Amino acid sequence: MRIAAGFSLVVLGSGAVGHAVMTGLDTGIERVDPFKDMKNRPQAGHGMNFLLVGTDGRDKITPEEKREYRLGGEPCHCTDTIMLVHLSADRQRASVVSLPRDSYAELPAHQDPVTGQPHRPHPVKLNAAYAEGGPNLTVRTVEDMTRVKIDHYLEVDFTSFMRTVDAMGGVEVCTAKALHDQNTGLHLLPGSHRLTGGQALQYVRSRHVDGAADLGRMQRQQRFVAALIKQATGGGVLLNPVKFKEVSSTLLGSVRADKDFGSEQMLALGQAMRGFTPSSSEFASVPIGDASYPVKGIGSTVKWDEPKAAQLFESLREDRPLAVARPGQPGQPGHPAAARPAAAAPPTAVPVDVPPQQVRVQVENGTRIDGLGGRVDAALRATGFDTTGTPGNGAGRDVRRTVVSYDPRWDRSAHTVAAALPGSELRAVAGQGRTVLVIAGSDYTKVVPVRAEDPYQGEFGVVTGDQVVCGK
């Protein structure tokens, strides 16, 4: 439901499909005019900006689906997800910025679209803009807050979201830790999972997985969009006219869009983005100054860090990449280094729960192989672990299987180390302390790269799509 709007970027962006296939695809779109009578709008920048919103729409779900996916209650008639998507002028990069639904916002003066009653400016949570004034007030409010001019508006409810995921054959997501949410019925064990439409809905709706609440949910939504891009580009959806039309027709059955976004624009956009891949996308959330800012009559809101948020949106207006270039890798899409010949792609990192930089490791050589401890220590350090740099010899010299010994209080750190040492044995030792002990066995071959599931990249916490999709 929440990031279904992302389909409007991915699925509508088809490559190698002709006008004949596109004909009639936009007939199911319900048209809205979110820009009607708007004045004093921000100056247009470079590239193209979409406001993508996901609405509740549970009134369209069957009783069986409501029971299975925990969709009881009444629809809120509000935007439960708001994403600002910037497509670079060269169509080589998409920057997706999540706007927390509980963001503190000042609604501009407006008239009630039903009664015509005037309303003065007043504070609300951002998702209430839709309830008070529909798409028009939502666009006005976002433009006032970001000073980014919106070119197109796309709105999808989760009925279309579920059907579209199913039409694509499901979407694969991966998680380094178990995800359980009693409110949505989500239950995923660590590893990779191909989600059906209903399961995907549970994944993007869940807010009670951990203490991160709605901010954690936004990160999972971004990972899902990245996985969606990977599925659409790698699975042939965008290059298969028949599959493209099936998926697009399913999505467009309940989408709402501005009147200037139709089949011609879809085709032109798709042809420009023919080579789009997960690494072409980057994801960020608005920098937060106060995650629990109290407002009388409204409750707890999310207050943005105004100076950092202003820098973020200035980057969008100036068509600059948000992600920093990663050492040892080709330049980010749109980065000057991207024009140079690309180096060989590095191995895909395994997602883990704890960043390796936060894990202290002591290495011991459990074999008679000279220098093995030093090689393991150096390989772990090169992968990011905080090793002691002084490997020693173990009590025994006939260890066959590498052992990761750890204090149960630091079990998450131990699992991060074990992920970097495929085939190793986890061994709990009460009272060992925070340092994880690795006893290298004769089975050791290499250390594989690992990365935190939600790595921090640069000033705005940006991740690129290839960092958050499942590796092979």
Side-chain angles (χ1 to χ4, degrees):
M1 132 188 166
R2 277 49 175 172
I3 50 73
F7 285 115
S8 304
L9 168 63
V10 180
V11 180
L12 300 186
S14 165
V17 294
H19 289 268
V21 174
M22 299 298 293
T23 300
L25 278 183
D26 55 351
T27 57
I29 301 177
E30 181 182 346
R31 296 297 179 180
V32 296
D33 188 1
F35 311 117
K36 183 179 181 181
D37 299 329
M38 288 185 61
K39 301 177 181 178
N40 301 318
R41 301 185 65 191
Q43 183 177 354
H46 304 286
M48 183 182 298
N49 299 309
F50 292 78
L51 186 63
L52 309 177
V53 302
T55 57
D56 196 317
R58 71 184 67 196
D59 51 330
K60 301 177 183 178
I61 297 296
T62 67
E64 293 76 14
E65 289 171 327
K66 283 185 177 181
R67 286 192 297 269
E68 184 173 0
Y69 303 122
R70 312 282 178 88
L71 297 170
E74 296 297 323
C76 68
H77 301 294
C78 59
T79 49
D80 217 22
T81 285
I82 305 173
M83 287 183 175
L84 184 58
V85 175
H86 172 79
L87 297 181
S88 62
D90 60 8
R91 299 299 188 263
Q92 297 297 306
R93 181 184 69 257
S95 304
V96 182
V97 180
S98 296
L99 310 182
R101 67 176 192 171
D102 291 338
S103 296
Y104 174 85
E106 292 274 355
L107 289 189
H110 62 279
Q111 286 188 330
D112 187 293
V114 177
T115 66
Q117 180 181 355
H119 294 279
R120 295 181 178 179
H122 60 278
V124 295
K125 293 181 179 181
L126 180 56
N127 69 336
Y130 186 91
E132 288 200 31
N136 182 268
L137 187 58
T138 300
V139 170
R140 287 181 62 195
T141 303
V142 171
E143 286 193 345
D144 283 353
M145 296 174 72
T146 66
R147 304 312 301 164
V148 173
K149 186 176 182 180
I150 306 301
D151 299 300
H152 291 292
Y153 173 89
L154 296 168
E155 174 189 321
V156 183
D157 65 29
F158 60 60
T159 304
S160 181
F161 172 77
M162 290 196 297
R163 305 292 184 265
T164 306
V165 171
D166 287 334
M168 293 183 69
V171 173
E172 184 182 31
V173 300
C174 52
T175 176
K177 58 186 177 183
L179 301 178
H180 300 294
D181 188 336
Q182 294 299 324
N183 292 61
T184 64
L186 176 71
H187 293 288
L188 293 181
L189 296 176
S192 298
H193 307 270
R194 181 164 292 276
L195 305 183
T196 64
Q199 293 169 333
L201 180 62
Q202 292 173 313
Y203 180 80
V204 299
R205 287 184 62 227
S206 293
R207 310 177 62 204
H208 304 283
V209 170
D210 50 36
D214 198 49
L215 299 180
R217 182 180 69 163
M218 287 195 306
Q219 292 173 328
R220 286 186 290 277
Q221 291 169 355
Q222 292 173 348
R223 287 200 294 273
F224 191 87
V225 173
L228 182 66
I229 293 173
K230 180 180 180 180
Q231 172 75 6
T233 56
V237 173
L238 301 186
L239 300 178
N240 184 327
V242 176
K243 187 67 174 178
F244 170 79
K245 187 163 187 176
E246 176 190 355
V247 173
S248 299
S249 298
T250 302
L251 169 67
L252 297 180
S254 58
V255 73
R256 301 214 306 169
D258 63 273
K259 60 183 179 61
D260 292 326
F261 192 79
S263 58
E264 291 296 321
Q265 288 72 29
M266 296 178 207
L267 181 58
L269 181 61
Q271 290 174 335
M273 297 175 61
R274 187 171 298 175
F276 215 65
T277 66
S279 63
S280 306
S281 58
E282 53 183 12
F283 300 87
S285 298
V286 179
I288 303 302
D290 188 344
S292 184
Y293 179 70
V295 179
K296 185 177 180 180
I298 298 175
S300 179
T301 67
V302 175
K303 191 74 182 297
W304 295 358
D305 183 320
E306 295 297 341
K308 289 184 179 180
Q311 294 176 31
L312 172 66
F313 295 121
E314 180 184 5
S315 294
L316 292 187
R317 290 192 297 271
E318 296 298 323
D319 201 22
R320 297 195 301 262
L322 303 178
V324 297
R326 284 171 275 162
Q329 291 189 341
Q332 295 290 344
H335 189 277
R340 297 196 295 266
T348 302
V350 177
V352 292
D353 197 16
V354 178
Q357 293 81 2
Q358 297 178 13
V359 184
R360 184 69 167 169
V361 179
Q362 170 66 49
V363 177
E364 291 184 356
N365 186 353
T367 75
R368 299 185 184 278
I369 303 172
D370 290 340
L372 179 61
R375 294 201 303 273
V376 175
D377 182 283
L380 287 170
R381 177 170 288 274
T383 307
F385 288 95
D386 179 23
T387 67
T388 63
T390 56
N393 290 322
R397 307 303 299 274
D398 58 354
V399 176
R400 294 184 177 181
R401 184 182 178 189
T402 299
V403 175
V404 177
S405 175
Y406 67 98
D407 190 312
R409 292 176 296 173
W410 281 273
D411 63 317
R412 293 166 62 240
S413 295
H415 280 86
T416 291
V417 177
L421 295 165
S424 58
E425 174 191 346
L426 280 164
R427 185 178 296 171
V429 178
Q432 178 174 299
R434 70 178 292 265
T435 299
V436 177
L437 174 63
V438 172
I439 306 174
S442 57
D443 67 336
Y444 170 80
T445 56
K446 64 179 180 178
V447 170
V448 301
V450 297
R451 59 166 172 77
E453 191 167 36
D454 297 310
Y456 183 87
Q457 294 288 322
E459 188 174 6
F460 307 120
V462 182
V463 293
T464 52
D466 58 319
Q467 290 178 284
V468 294
V469 296
C470 302
K472 296 297 184 185

